[in-house]
Amino acid sequence: MEEIAFHQPVLLRETVEQLVVRPGGVYLDATVGEGGHAGAVLRASAPNGVVLGIDWDPRSLAYTRQRLAEHGERFIGIQGNYADMVELSRSVGIDQVNGILLDLGFSSRQVEGEGYGFSFQKDEPLDMRYDPVGQFLTAAQIVNNYSEEQLARVFFEYGEEPRARVIARHIVQRRPINTTRELADLVSRIVRPRRSQRIHPATRVFQALRIAVNNELSNVQAGLEAAIQLLVTGGRLVVISYHSLEDRLVKNRLAREAATCVCPPELPVCVCQHQATVRLVQRRIIRPGAEEVAQNPRGRSARMRVAERL
Ligand SMILES: C[S@@+](CC[C@H](N)C(=O)[O-])C[C@H]1O[C@@H](n2cnc3c(N)ncnc32)[C@H](O)[C@@H]1O
């Protein structure tokens, strides 16, 4: 295995606090990654707490199993999509849990590591799958086979890229495009960075492709629904997101789950009989402080939302 520093977990202390981790509790880290958060939950739930860690990426899970081996049977790692967390948990005899963490997106090891194709700073095949065995659609297939309109829609809807149409047109004229470097160079020639802008011109296009390849927004929806099913009454759901599309989705879904009425506003009386399934623990989002951002720039865009199962 290549030598790359472990992903530095974001909002670590806040995660353990908000999950209200206790000895003997059963916790699900549905995006276990390299196990930074899971390790902290294992320590806080010692001597008999259990952490079930799910990750779609078998390479991350291999690292995590080694890293958390000292906790013995208190850590159970399963490879799979968190959208299927109810079935995955049942497959190891767990029907309900005291707390669930969803730390969305990708880890720094996946961006820095070889073979993922997530980074515009590398020159490698345009892949972007979390699970290179179980998933079939790659970013190269999208870039080289989608129509101009489909590409523009992906860049606009998943990347909020204002120049989506122009980029899509240039891609269609220039393809085949097979590597991250070819795509990043092409986008950089079209999107000139504004002086105030800190991000690379290809950031939005890469984000859009990653979301499309991994069906990320549908997975987040399905994952939130499944998490609510799995939590015991009083159990906590902690979600950390890193871009506005994800965060909006989480915010709207949790607000709906917390609402006692979801009737259209024009109805004079409630007819939906909707029952709230969660209580929003924090009205305001939790964000990393300046000190954390200074030592872990990835935390800059992190937003944590917390809900408690009713
Ligand atoms: C931000 S990282 C998590 C880092 C982790 N909290 C840590 O401390 O190391 C997000 C992880 O979610 C995984 N992931 C992304 N989509 C997933 C999905 N649909 N199902 C399961 N895991 C997923 C990625 O492979 C990645 O390892």
Side-chain angles (χ1 to χ4, degrees), residues 7-9 29-38 54-57 60 67 80-83 101 103-107 110 130 214 216 219 242 298:
H7 172 87
Q8 228 180 307
D29 185 341
T31 49
V32 72
E34 279 96 72
H37 287 106
I54 294 176
D55 206 285
W56 209 1
D57 177 4
S60 292
R67 191 182 185 191
N81 185 338
Y82 59 61
L101 170 64
D103 180 19
L104 300 174
F106 52 87
S107 71
Q110 289 168 326
Y130 287 117
N214 298 294
E216 289 191 15
N219 286 333
Y242 296 88
R298 186 186 158 78

Side-chain angles (χ1 to χ4, degrees), residues 91-110:
S91 73
V92 291
I94 294 177
D95 289 330
Q96 286 211 298
V97 298
N98 300 98
I100 300 180
L101 170 64
L102 276 166
D103 180 19
L104 300 174
F106 52 87
S107 71
S108 48
R109 194 190 54 79
Q110 289 168 326

Side-chain angles (χ1 to χ4, degrees), residues 227-262:
I228 290 164
Q229 275 186 57
L230 261 183
L231 281 173
V232 296
T233 302
R236 291 275 181 99
L237 169 63
V238 171
V239 188
I240 308 174
S241 46
Y242 296 88
H243 58 78
S244 51
L245 282 179
E246 267 170 5
D247 183 56
R248 213 175 301 145
L249 214 151
V250 175
K251 177 183 169 191
N252 292 341
R253 180 65 197 229
L254 293 183
R256 191 181 165 87
E257 292 292 338
T260 44
C261 168
V262 291

Side-chain angles (χ1 to χ4, degrees), residues 70-83:
E70 65 182 280
H71 300 283
E73 291 180 355
R74 293 212 294 123
F75 177 70
I76 306 165
I78 309 185
Q79 193 264 330
N81 185 338
Y82 59 61

